[in-house]
Amino acid sequence: MKLTEVKKILTEISRGMMEIVFPAEPVCPVCREEPALGRGLGRKCLNRIALIVPPICSICGRMLRVHQASVSKCLECSGTEYYFSQARAVALYDGALREYLSEVKYRYRPDLGIALGELMVEWLKANPKYGKFDLIIPVPIHPQKMAIRGYNQAELLAIPLQKHLGIPIKNDIIIRCRFTETQNALDRESRFSNVNKAFQAVQAGALAGKRVLLIDDIMTTGATASEVSRTLLRAGALDVKLLTLAAGVIDKQWLHPEVKGKF
Ligand SMILES: [Zn+2]
Ligand SMILES: [Zn+2]
């Protein structure tokens, strides 16, 4: 290979590197085609996020199907006692939001995590009656995961919320003391036993009488958030409400009774 060719290749590589580090024009991280709005998604992908809309379960905030609209609790909450008093999520964990979150979790994009937190601020602005809070606590991740990922995504989401609510984020009150198996592959029952006693309050005094806004990226069964809430209540918190960016769909609950038998 001639020297000029080598030089050309090196120039191309360094230009590519520069574009990764300092993108000329921020591009939407999901479709990689349209321009990004601020640090976030492009308009097209933003519109593809399926927001959670009423009717919802009064406890866990999951969307109720039309045939459940006359009840206030979903099937899940009728059979489960959660330690948080209420939970709400901004959107369904699906499509563009799913891709967006995986960028944050697996491709080191802390800027996107903070941008996603803005969606949660918008939700709180639209739902000011959700509650009054003294503290924001992001669901902790295990130090081992923290070391791999470089940050706790729930903490990133909490940053814009802190600004909006004017209350502190506390990430040193509760720790994840047990490395738990990833919940994805587990069924509902195992998810609850998997996180049992996984958290520990290390500054109990700081929680006395406090109303906590617990923040996480995704709620699926609610097992993790409930276990954190249990730990917070045992350490003296007055109340815990959960706000997540996304909520997973629990399939069976979404099925119409007439088709349920097929699954
Ligand atoms: Zn896009
Ligand atoms: Zn529910």
Side-chain angles (χ1 to χ4, degrees):
M1 195 183 281
K2 283 182 195 162
L3 188 62
T4 48
E5 280 174 40
V6 173
K7 267 190 185 167
K8 201 176 153 203
I9 290 168
L10 284 176
T11 313
E12 285 299 309
I13 291 173
S14 68
R15 187 178 301 151
M17 296 282 285
M18 284 300 281
E19 272 173 17
I20 291 168
V21 183
F22 305 106
E25 199 174 316
V27 74
C28 170
V30 170
C31 64
R32 301 190 192 281
E33 284 172 4
E34 55 178 339
L37 304 169
R39 287 178 302 192
L41 284 178
R43 195 169 303 279
K44 208 174 66 197
C45 290
L46 199 57
N47 289 337
R48 276 171 52 211
I49 291 180
L51 296 179
I52 290 179
V53 289
I56 60 169
C57 167
S58 61
I59 308 292
C60 74
R62 289 186 185 98
M63 277 168 75
L64 299 170
R65 295 302 259 178
V66 177
H67 67 275
Q68 298 174 316
S70 56
V71 297
S72 69
K73 264 197 211 178
C74 71
L75 292 178
E76 199 65 20
C77 287
S78 306
T80 312
E81 202 63 61
Y82 292 116
Y83 285 96
F84 47 77
S85 59
Q86 276 183 302
R88 293 291 181 268
V90 177
L92 289 179
Y93 181 54
D94 207 359
L97 186 57
R98 197 188 190 111
E99 293 172 44
Y100 202 4
L101 264 173
S102 93
E103 287 284 316
V104 176
K105 284 165 92 166
Y106 307 113
R107 290 179 175 227
Y108 194 75
R109 290 293 307 268
D111 56 330
L112 293 182
I114 297 169
L116 282 172
E118 297 288 354
L119 296 180
M120 297 170 86
V121 169
E122 290 307 313
W123 187 91
L124 273 181
K125 281 183 186 165
N127 297 275
K129 291 198 181 134
Y130 188 43
K132 295 230 178 302
F133 304 102
D134 305 300
L135 298 175
I136 299 173
I137 296 190
V139 168
I141 59 174
H142 193 271
Q144 233 170 296
K145 238 181 215 171
M146 185 88 158
I148 297 167
R149 197 167 289 166
Y151 48 74
N152 173 3
Q153 69 279 2
E155 268 181 57
L156 298 176
L157 294 172
I159 292 170
L161 291 164
Q162 175 188 36
K163 270 192 207 148
H164 171 67
L165 294 171
I167 53 173
I169 298 176
K170 290 284 182 192
N171 58 3
D172 54 355
I173 289 184
I174 179 166
I175 55 163
R176 196 158 191 147
C177 49
R178 206 155 57 74
F179 193 86
T180 51
E181 225 181 293
T182 300
Q183 300 272 75
N184 300 355
L186 302 174
D187 63 22
R188 205 183 161 283
E189 206 93 312
S190 320
R191 282 176 180 233
F192 277 84
S193 55
N194 187 39
V195 292
N196 189 27
K197 301 198 176 81
F199 302 92
Q200 192 190 334
V202 286
Q203 281 186 41
L207 285 165
K210 300 288 193 230
R211 296 159 302 179
V212 175
L213 178 61
L214 184 63
I215 298 298
D216 208 357
D217 51 348
I218 307 159
M219 182 177 98
T220 309
T221 57
T224 305
S226 185
E227 184 60 19
V228 176
S229 306
R230 191 177 78 93
T231 313
L232 293 170
L233 292 177
R234 280 172 61 96
L238 175 64
D239 181 49
V240 182
K241 285 188 180 180
L242 173 69
L243 181 60
T244 61
L245 179 66
V249 174
I250 292 186
D251 291 330
K252 280 196 180 154
Q253 181 181 312
W254 278 66
L255 296 173
H256 193 281
E258 283 179 25
V259 297
K260 218 167 218 175
K262 292 183 180 173
F263 291 85

